[in-house]
Amino acid sequence: NLIFIASLLLGTTITISSNHWITAWMGLEINTLAILPLISKSHHPRAIEAATKYFLTQAAASALVLFSSMTNAWSTGQWDITQLTHPTSCLILTSAVAMKLGLVPFHFWFPEVLQGSPLTTGLLLSTLMKLPPITLLYMTSPSLNPALLTTLAILSAALGGWMGLNQTQIRKILAFSSISHLGWMAIIIIYNPKLTLLNFYLYTMMTAAVFLTLNTIKVLKLSTLMTTWTKTPSLNAMLLLTLLSLAGLPPLTGFLPKWLIIQELTKQDMAPAAMLISLLSLLSLFFYLRLAYCTAITLPPHTTNHMKQWRTNKSTNITIAMLTTMSIM
């Protein structure tokens, strides 16, 4: 585990700090190879299937990254990441990064992989593994194609909302919530890349709070979530607020990036896009509300035939306390 986590951090750092396309690609490869054992650790068939799907998509995306950088170097003689000027290689790079991130035409692998992996690995997949591709977009943002990215972003917000509506597995719901958040990040990357990074950091913080809370109370399905209020009631109340913060409701942290992004989009004469993506975030608000309802508002007697959990007196982790506090302030 130590080796794999160290390799993850190493690969991420290599990609973030590189100037040359080949080193960026190498960091992405180290990342992919380091997370694979963490996904397939349980040796469950579902986990092996998730690892296989993850490997195939990430390998294809890495090949596309190499292909776009080589096309650019072929036409301009530049291997520098910030000098990506050839339009075709910009398009190929955008689709490769969309595959890496799970933006909408290439999103099918992400819920499946998240469903097959344990909660802590799922947290790594939906936060740390998104950072290198987002930094690649950040570094190439001046030369990217606005129409393509806006289309990808709005489709991501739409499908991330729609497809999460009928899920009962919590990891899949969180995967679709991640897809719609990535839509919010992709729509603003050209106009104000720093806002994308801010959105990413706050999303990472809130998602980490949710995943670690679920890991503490050992919940994977909505039906078991209904019986967890007996375990740690205070933690459940905080989970309710953290979920609403992920949904982006105004007094909480999650509203801040959405507000700034809408403001920036209206400055860029993209008020229709801002209106559309705000309306589409109502879809994901619905399943966050359903999670919150199952967490703290559903009280017995109800018809789920699960064992009632005994209240444990084990103390909540200090990291969870800090993360939830920062997510709802």
Side-chain angles (χ1 to χ4, degrees), residues 152-273:
L152 290 184
I154 288 176
L155 282 175
S156 294
L159 284 178
W162 261 312
M163 296 175 74
L165 290 181
N166 58 353
Q167 299 294 333
T168 56
Q169 297 285 343
I170 293 181
R171 284 170 294 184
K172 281 197 175 179
I173 292 181
L174 286 169
F176 288 118
S177 102
S178 175
I179 291 172
S180 53
H181 273 278
L182 283 168
W184 279 88
M185 290 175 220
I187 199 166
I188 200 70
I189 186 87
I190 305 177
Y191 307 108
N192 196 339
K194 288 195 173 62
L195 265 186
T196 300
L197 286 188
L198 172 79
N199 194 347
F200 178 73
Y201 296 146
L202 292 180
Y203 159 74
T204 302
M205 191 173 72
M206 296 181 290
T207 310
V210 171
F211 267 106
L212 291 172
T213 307
L214 294 174
N215 194 35
T216 305
I217 55 184
K218 297 279 180 289
V219 172
L220 296 174
K221 290 201 295 291
L222 281 180
S223 52
T224 44
L225 188 63
M226 287 183 191
T227 61
T228 56
W229 60 273
T230 50
K231 266 191 181 177
T232 41
S234 51
L235 186 61
N236 262 24
M238 298 309 269
L239 179 61
L240 168 91
L241 288 171
T242 315
L243 285 166
L244 294 183
S245 176
L246 258 178
L249 290 185
L252 308 166
T253 310
F255 177 60
L256 170 74
K258 285 191 164 55
W259 179 35
L260 291 174
I261 285 175
I262 291 172
Q263 192 182 3
E264 183 65 33
L265 284 175
T266 44
K267 277 184 201 163
Q268 301 286 345
D269 289 340
M270 290 179 65

Side-chain angles (χ1 to χ4, degrees), residues 37-329:
L38 295 178
I39 299 176
S40 57
K41 191 166 60 179
S42 63
H43 297 298
H44 190 272
R46 192 74 195 254
I48 307 295
E49 179 192 354
T52 314
K53 284 176 179 170
Y54 185 77
F55 174 73
L56 291 173
T57 47
Q58 299 297 313
S62 294
L64 279 179
V65 168
L66 263 189
F67 181 56
S68 75
S69 55
M70 281 169 68
T71 316
N72 187 59
W74 195 19
S75 57
T76 62
Q78 272 288 355
W79 280 102
D80 198 337
I81 292 185
T82 49
Q83 303 290 322
L84 190 78
T85 47
H86 196 253
T88 316
S89 44
C90 285
L91 291 177
I92 298 174
L93 178 84
T94 309
S95 54
V97 171
M99 263 176 105
K100 281 260 176 218
L101 289 172
L103 279 172
V104 148
F106 316 104
H107 66 288
F108 297 100
W109 62 273
F110 189 50
E112 302 289 328
V113 170
L114 217 59
Q115 180 59 32
S117 51
L119 279 170
T120 40
T121 312
L123 170 63
L124 283 177
L125 277 171
S126 45
T127 55
L128 187 69
M129 303 301 285
K130 306 273 186 227
L131 184 56
I134 284 181
T135 49
L136 285 182
L137 277 186
Y138 182 92
M139 287 190 280
T140 56
S141 60
S143 50
L144 295 175
N145 184 349
L148 175 68
L149 270 172
T150 310
T151 315
L152 290 184
I154 288 176
L155 282 175
S156 294
L159 284 178
W162 261 312
M163 296 175 74
L165 290 181
N166 58 353
Q167 299 294 333
T168 56
Q169 297 285 343
I170 293 181
R171 284 170 294 184
K172 281 197 175 179
I173 292 181
L174 286 169
F176 288 118
S177 102
S178 175
I179 291 172
S180 53
H181 273 278
L182 283 168
W184 279 88
M185 290 175 220
I187 199 166
I188 200 70
I189 186 87
I190 305 177
Y191 307 108
N192 196 339
K194 288 195 173 62
L195 265 186
T196 300
L197 286 188
L198 172 79
N199 194 347
F200 178 73
Y201 296 146
L202 292 180
Y203 159 74
T204 302
M205 191 173 72
M206 296 181 290
T207 310
V210 171
F211 267 106
L212 291 172
T213 307
L214 294 174
N215 194 35
T216 305
I217 55 184
K218 297 279 180 289
V219 172
L220 296 174
K221 290 201 295 291
L222 281 180
S223 52
T224 44
L225 188 63
M226 287 183 191
T227 61
T228 56
W229 60 273
T230 50
K231 266 191 181 177
T232 41
S234 51
L235 186 61
N236 262 24
M238 298 309 269
L239 179 61
L240 168 91
L241 288 171
T242 315
L243 285 166
L244 294 183
S245 176
L246 258 178
L249 290 185
L252 308 166
T253 310
F255 177 60
L256 170 74
K258 285 191 164 55
W259 179 35
L260 291 174
I261 285 175
I262 291 172
Q263 192 182 3
E264 183 65 33
L265 284 175
T266 44
K267 277 184 201 163
Q268 301 286 345
D269 289 340
M270 290 179 65
M275 186 186 71
L276 197 55
I277 203 166
S278 319
L279 288 176
L280 288 171
S281 72
L282 289 177
L283 288 168
S284 45
L285 172 68
F286 178 81
F287 58 74
Y288 290 125
L289 278 178
R290 190 171 59 191
L291 274 172
Y293 183 78
C294 291
T295 305
I297 310 174
T298 320
L299 286 181
H302 50 64
T303 54
T304 51
N305 38 9
H306 273 282
M307 297 284 287
K308 290 283 178 289
Q309 316 280 355
W310 283 101
R311 185 176 300 192
T312 52
N313 51 11
K314 66 166 190 276
S315 60
T316 307
N317 199 334
I318 182 70
T319 47
I320 302 183
M322 285 164 60
L323 284 167
T324 43
T325 313
M326 283 157 64
S327 308
I328 64 182
M329 291 300 272

Side-chain angles (χ1 to χ4, degrees), residues 21-52:
W21 274 111
I22 298 293
T23 45
W25 170 80
M26 188 174 70
L28 290 172
E29 285 298 299
I30 293 175
N31 253 357
T32 305
L33 293 177
I35 196 93
L36 283 174
L38 295 178
I39 299 176
S40 57
K41 191 166 60 179
S42 63
H43 297 298
H44 190 272
R46 192 74 195 254
I48 307 295
E49 179 192 354
T52 314

